Amino acid sequence: MPISRRQFLYYSALVTSSVALSGLPLYAYDPKPGSGRDEVRRSYCGLCHPRCGTLLHMRDGKVFEVSGDPDHPVTRGMICERGLLMPEHIHHPGRVNHPLKRVGARGEGKWERISWDQALDEVAEKLARLRDAHGPETLAFTHGTSRTHHWDCRRFFNLFGSPNVCGVNNVCMCPSYATEYATYGGMARGNPRRAKCVVIWGRASANSSPVQSWPALQQAKKAGVTFIVVDPRRIEEVELADMWLQIRPGTDLALLLGWIRLVIEEELYDKEFVAKWTVGFDEIRQAVRDYTPEKVSEITWLPVEQITAAARLYATSKPAQIPYGYGLDKQGVNANQCARARAILRAITGNLEVDGGETFGQTPEVAKVRGEFDLVASEAISPAQRAKQLGADTYPFFGFPGWERNVESNRKLPKGHVAPPSMYRTCVAHARDVFRAAIVKKPYPVTAMFSVASNPMLSFPDSPMVMQALMALDLYVVMEYYMTPSAALADYVFPSATTVEQPELWTTGSFCMACPPGIEPLYERRDTYQFYRGLGLRLGQEKDWPWENLEQAYDYCLEPVGTTFAKLTESYGFFGKPQFKRYEQTGFGTPSGKVELVSSIFKDMGCDPVPIYKEPLWSPAGDPELAAQYPLVLITGSRFMPMYHSEHRQIESARRAAPDPLVFLHPETVAALGLADGQWVHVVSPKGKARMRLRASTAIHPKMADAQHGWWFPERSGELPGLFGAFESNANMLCPMEPEQCSPEIGSWPHSALLCRIEKA
Ligand SMILES: Nc1nc2c(c(=O)[nH]1)N[C@H]1C(S)=C(S)[C@@H](COP(=O)(O)OP(=O)(O)OC[C@H]3O[C@@H](n4cnc5c(=O)[nH]c(N)nc54)[C@H](O)[C@@H]3O)O[C@H]1N2
Ligand SMILES: Nc1nc2c(c(=O)[nH]1)N[C@H]1C(S)=C(S)[C@@H](COP(=O)(O)OP(=O)(O)OC[C@H]3O[C@@H](n4cnc5c(=O)[nH]c(N)nc54)[C@H](O)[C@@H]3O)O[C@H]1N2
Ligand code: SF4
Ligand SMILES: [Mo]
């Protein structure tokens, strides 16, 4: 049985929650029936990435229902179960609606309501003092996934002079993005409907991208596309697939190298493209020569025949795609070289920049719109301040040095050919070094931190270390929707406007979309732009925030295409036309102008220029003694609906669908351990433990455990030491962040490919 969304919902109906939901301050918005729909307003959903077009149904000035907007040119009326939570989210009584100032001890839960002006004045005054004492680099930032535009944050930090913006980007998609820029000058994506073969490698779209990728895969299946799934779990996508490779977590790089070897040995590569447009083919051939199917089989737990058949199927189906999957990014030591090996495979099989393969997606029409690169004021931060970026000495590729190199290569292409590499995505401090600098004040003290659209207590590994860092700060400022375990440790909490309460200009390479606010911000909620601008104006940046609000900033972005945000909302947005093989005119945006199978940027940054497989530190083969005590391979954080990371735990309909943290084990494993489906257990890793409800599932390999992430309990007290139960069922109590566990290129920490055992709770 594959794990499906339906199954999760079904499970939740079967499982009686350990907490009686009725007595809790969870909340379902209950519109009074019968008063009729008075108005429908067009807006968008920002509860995850795609910004689906929505219609807000209003009654008595409140949003009582949301539906998909059938006229939306991209999402065409589709929204997901999570999108349906929007009315409950907008009107939830747990929302932070006014600026709050801590009055008790940190984490004591005592707050005073203050005005925006007072809050901004006090934060600016404290920041100025800390900057004068320690330098601007004393201020750090944690970001989460792109829940809100992030250019305003980076603009503020560059103007303030701090390079210490850190966040989850060291693991989430951005390592692949940066690596692909270094390899062929852009991040490649494809439209599965136009392919012959798609390899779903470490990605489970049915649960992670229900409106964008999952319907596209289903349509592709109907159109006859062949699928290969490489995933340790039998996911819903396996139902679409011709082949399923149930790989041992953390060993994907060995398989990728095995595929590259086979493609070269059996001469299945695109000889003309390789000869004309790549450098380093011979070194790659050398580097992969030991990855025979037999050796790969031993490492990955996959049968030899499956390894060779899958590689042949991929290499002989033209065009073919291997879309991005977070399952590769979250495996620690090998994560970034997996991205390199995937990029190499795409290139040598001739699937780059061809219709149905993977392209850079940037269209000349959309490229004219001013974007992040034009808004972040990167020139404002001096070389001396850039050099102080924490972690960049260990991981220069992911700091200013690597970003500058990728920018330099991009500049060789005609302007707008491929979007310049994003600073937010590829030029970040390392979170571990930032937290350490807060705790031990070395190499210099981090004394102030902002978390905006980020819940570091739940999203980074080693939650106790994160807490120690937050507790050590002189100033911790959070901008949030709800009081979270992170916000509970803040000095100031600013109330954040919901996406439907603010405009958004959303551009991907091929389209530019104006997302209209459906309603005015309620209470004193504001968008993040008002937060950064408010602080900037108080900190000597008066000339640098010329736009009074987001809409004016978006008008500035749209000026080169001769429209305004308001005008663009009428037509939703515009598309560009995809183009192929543009490299024939311009070359690739790399130092050599070719696809760098051996990466010169990696080499210059002290990273392995060709991928080499490393056994994960905590693994049956990497440490048999440890594995004797922790016999199961652990993965965490497989996405499930309707939850989004640590969010929505306070929304009643979401909690009815997913009431408890779950860990999945194979029924044979459950029986061998003398446990029973549905009982509470402790998942114990060498790092720590998490209490979860056991779910038996044949979708999991018998030697594995799959623990959900993001669990805390808003219904409990937020005061220390409990902190909403943030240490009880949090998968990041199990995950390490020590240097030897992280990838040497980017410092990607592992949320997967770990070890654990299961104990009765
Ligand atoms: N163990 C484990 N840990 C993981 C992962 C895993 O697979 N396993 N996955 C990792 C990945 S890929 C990611 S991207 C991270 C996600 O890490 P985060 O982005 O930190 O995770 P969220 O729980 O979504 O936290 C976002 C917080 O911002 C608030 N918020 C949401 N939208 C807005 C907004 O528009 N404005 C403001 N001001 N606040 C907003 C929400 O209420 C929430 O508290 O987690 C990582 N952590
Ligand atoms: N419902 C929901 N949707 C989300 C999110 C959410 O929190 N909830 N978060 C969003 C974010 S920020 C992200 S980054 C995306 C991520 O979305 P996806 O890319 O789909 O990532 P995951 O669900 O974390 O993991 C995908 C698959 O990787 C597999 N996997 C784990 N370890 C390994 C391994 O070592 N090798 C291989 N081959 N596979 C492995 C897991 O079994 C899982 O099926 O989802 C986005 N969408
Ligand atoms: S996929 Fe769902 S949650 Fe994400 S933006 Fe669309 S409707 Fe909202
Ligand atoms: Mo992510």
Side-chain angles (χ1 to χ4, degrees):
M1 269 287 286
I3 289 185
S4 72
R5 266 181 298 156
R6 285 178 297 283
Q7 198 177 358
F8 275 112
L9 294 173
Y10 173 65
Y11 272 141
S12 49
L14 284 182
V15 172
T16 324
S17 174
S18 61
V19 284
L21 286 177
S22 52
L24 302 171
L26 298 168
Y27 175 73
Y29 178 55
D30 182 20
K32 297 279 165 288
S35 56
R37 297 181 179 199
D38 3 89
E39 206 188 337
V40 176
R41 297 199 193 148
R42 183 146 75 78
S43 194
Y44 67 106
C45 179
L47 292 178
C48 81
H49 297 140
R51 272 53 175 182
C52 300
T54 61
L55 299 174
L56 304 180
H57 302 270
M58 310 288 298
R59 180 181 295 161
D60 304 331
K62 281 187 163 182
V63 181
F64 82 93
E65 201 177 273
V66 63
S67 61
D69 178 356
D71 296 328
H72 192 277
V74 180
T75 52
R76 299 181 190 281
M78 279 189 290
I79 56 171
C80 71
E81 297 104 289
R82 183 167 48 248
L84 295 172
L85 303 176
M86 187 57 93
E88 288 173 75
H89 173 51
I90 297 170
H91 300 295
H92 196 289
R95 285 285 294 264
V96 176
N97 290 323
H98 309 280
L100 298 175
K101 176 183 180 175
R102 169 169 76 79
V103 286
R106 195 183 289 286
E108 208 190 340
K110 296 205 174 113
W111 304 95
E112 179 192 356
R113 176 178 159 181
I114 59 173
S115 69
W116 264 87
D117 274 338
Q118 183 187 341
L120 289 170
D121 286 345
E122 290 186 17
V123 170
E125 190 267 323
K126 287 177 185 167
L127 267 185
R129 228 171 349 103
L130 294 169
R131 175 182 60 188
D132 293 346
H134 308 288
E137 63 276 14
T138 199
L139 172 65
F141 182 87
T142 74
H143 65 72
T145 183
S146 332
R147 299 305 306 283
T148 173
H149 46 266
H150 32 75
W151 59 266
D152 48 1
C153 158
R154 205 56 194 245
R155 185 177 181 88
F156 176 82
F157 271 75
N158 285 337
L159 292 163
F160 189 78
S162 173
N164 288 326
V165 173
C166 76
V168 297
N169 281 358
N170 292 67
V171 284
C172 176
M173 202 271 285
C174 306
S176 294
Y177 175 101
T179 299
E180 291 186 34
Y181 265 83
T183 307
Y184 39 59
M187 174 138 185
R189 299 160 197 263
N191 174 354
R193 285 163 288 222
R194 300 195 64 81
K196 278 263 162 41
C197 170
V198 175
V199 189
I200 301 175
W201 202 316
R203 178 184 174 115
S205 307
N207 278 282
S208 65
S209 186
V211 172
Q212 228 172 13
S213 302
W214 180 232
L217 295 181
Q218 289 170 308
Q219 287 159 13
K221 178 69 189 173
K222 283 204 188 106
V225 175
T226 302
F227 287 94
I228 302 169
V229 172
V230 186
D231 199 298
R233 304 183 306 150
R234 188 182 174 102
I235 52 176
E236 218 166 332
E237 283 74 356
V238 171
E239 298 302 293
L240 306 178
D242 295 69
M243 294 186 76
W244 169 41
L245 281 61
Q246 189 173 25
I247 194 167
R248 168 161 76 96
T251 64
D252 299 82
L253 182 55
L255 182 61
L256 284 158
L257 298 176
W259 279 26
I260 295 174
R261 180 184 175 277
L262 183 138
V263 167
I264 296 176
E265 292 284 305
E266 299 190 2
E267 301 200 21
L268 300 176
Y269 59 96
D270 183 329
K271 295 202 179 87
E272 195 190 325
F273 182 86
V274 166
K276 218 164 153 189
W277 290 109
T278 68
V279 290
F281 187 69
D282 289 336
E283 284 101 314
I284 288 295
R285 184 202 291 269
Q286 253 327 85
V288 298
R289 71 177 187 281
D290 293 341
Y291 292 89
T292 59
E294 293 69 28
K295 176 170 164 173
V296 173
S297 167
E298 208 175 287
I299 298 173
T300 57
W301 295 348
L302 296 170
V304 167
E305 309 72 54
Q306 218 185 21
I307 294 166
T308 51
R312 284 183 196 128
L313 181 58
Y314 166 72
T316 55
S317 313
K318 300 261 158 95
Q321 301 173 7
I322 314 178
Y324 165 80
Y326 182 55
L328 298 191
D329 277 2
K330 65 163 129 183
Q331 49 184 269
V333 285
N334 290 310
N336 314 143
Q337 295 291 2
C338 278
R340 278 268 301 146
R342 181 181 52 204
I344 291 168
L345 259 181
R346 287 171 178 162
I348 64 171
T349 52
N351 281 305
L352 212 52
E353 281 268 272
V354 297
D355 193 5
E358 280 144 325
T359 73
F360 302 132
Q362 185 79 357
T363 62
E365 297 89 338
V366 176
K368 286 198 196 114
V369 178
R370 293 188 180 119
E372 186 206 292
F373 201 78
D374 307 288
L375 296 169
V376 293
S378 59
E379 68 293 342
I381 180 160
S382 68
Q385 286 308 108
R386 290 181 182 203
K388 292 178 189 162
Q389 191 172 43
L390 291 164
D393 48 348
T394 323
Y395 310 113
F397 174 64
F398 215 53
F400 273 101
W403 176 73
E404 285 162 1
R405 286 297 302 276
N406 274 331
V407 170
E408 203 180 294
S409 301
N410 180 269
R411 285 220 171 99
K412 298 197 303 190
L413 297 174
K415 192 172 174 344
H417 195 74
V418 179
S422 154
M423 199 174 207
Y424 159 75
R425 286 181 172 161
T426 68
C427 180
V428 292
H430 196 273
R432 184 187 59 238
D433 289 20
V434 169
F435 295 139
R436 190 173 162 271
I439 299 167
V440 302
K441 320 284 181 213
K442 284 195 180 110
Y444 53 76
V446 163
T447 60
M449 197 181 287
F450 296 170
S451 293
V452 177
S454 149
N455 188 5
M457 284 300 305
L458 273 295
S459 49
F460 291 98
D462 202 348
S463 316
M465 186 262 297
V466 177
M467 175 166 127
Q468 210 189 339
L470 302 182
M471 292 298 286
L473 296 168
D474 290 326
L475 177 65
Y476 183 40
V477 177
V478 170
M479 189 169 190
E480 251 299 347
Y481 291 148
Y482 297 96
M483 194 50 83
T484 62
S486 307
L489 299 176
D491 298 289
Y492 295 87
V493 183
F494 285 78
S496 195
T498 319
T499 44
V500 298
E501 295 169 322
Q502 55 182 306
E504 179 147 6
L505 186 68
W506 188 250
T507 50
T508 69
S510 59
F511 73 91
C512 172
M513 188 72 55
C515 307
I519 56 172
E520 289 288 311
L522 298 171
Y523 309 96
E524 290 187 87
R525 301 173 190 172
R526 290 187 189 171
D527 58 58
T528 56
Y529 183 77
Q530 295 301 329
F531 170 73
Y532 294 113
R533 183 172 189 267
L535 286 178
L537 296 183
R538 287 165 173 80
L539 285 161
Q541 305 172 7
E542 293 82 354
K543 288 202 198 73
D544 301 302
W545 297 88
W547 317 291
E548 278 172 30
N549 53 44
L550 268 180
E551 193 164 331
Q552 286 182 16
Y554 295 148
D555 286 346
Y556 169 77
C557 296
L558 291 167
E559 206 175 69
V561 288
T563 188
T564 62
F565 185 82
K567 266 195 247 157
L568 198 62
T569 54
E570 286 162 25
S571 60
Y572 288 91
F574 62 90
F575 288 89
K577 248 176 102 93
Q579 295 175 330
F580 307 105
K581 295 205 174 185
R582 292 179 304 164
Y583 57 83
E584 289 180 346
Q585 272 74 52
T586 62
F588 287 91
T590 59
S592 61
K594 296 191 176 182
V595 176
E596 300 207 349
L597 304 178
V598 174
S599 166
S600 61
I601 296 186
F602 263 46
K603 193 166 176 213
D604 294 350
M605 297 289 135
C607 312
D608 281 334
V610 292
I612 299 160
Y613 172 74
K614 298 184 187 71
E615 187 56 38
L617 227 60
W618 293 354
S619 77
D623 192 340
E625 266 174 47
L626 192 70
Q629 294 170 54
Y630 301 93
L632 299 173
V633 177
L634 171 69
I635 67 171
T636 76
S638 302
R639 302 331 187 212
F640 62 101
M641 291 297 284
M643 297 302 183
Y644 200 75
H645 300 291
S646 70
E647 297 181 46
H648 315 315
R649 301 304 191 281
Q650 56 285 90
I651 295 179
E652 186 168 332
S653 43
R655 271 304 271 292
R656 282 198 194 288
D660 298 316
L662 300 181
V663 59
F664 293 84
L665 291 184
H666 194 278
E668 281 168 21
T669 316
V670 175
L673 290 169
L675 299 169
D677 185 41
Q679 93 178 77
W680 285 94
V681 295
H682 280 131
V683 184
V684 187
S685 85
K687 189 82 196 167
K689 65 178 180 185
R691 185 174 173 271
M692 298 193 159
R693 196 187 269 282
L694 196 159
R695 231 359 79 231
S697 166
T698 52
I700 308 295
H701 194 287
K703 292 189 217 163
M704 268 183 65
D706 171 26
Q708 292 183 342
H709 82 305
W711 278 96
W712 60 291
F713 306 96
E715 63 271 22
R716 298 203 199 152
S717 161
E719 282 165 47
L720 282 173
L723 206 65
F724 296 116
F727 303 102
E728 190 177 304
S729 302
N730 175 354
N732 280 319
M733 295 295 288
L734 309 170
C735 301
M737 212 194 199
E738 284 76 25
E740 61 278 13
Q741 295 276 4
C742 298
S743 70
E745 297 82 12
I746 285 174
S748 304
W749 43 84
H751 289 302
S752 177
L754 298 166
L755 288 175
C756 75
R757 64 168 176 259
I758 305 291
E759 294 174 354
K760 279 197 185 95

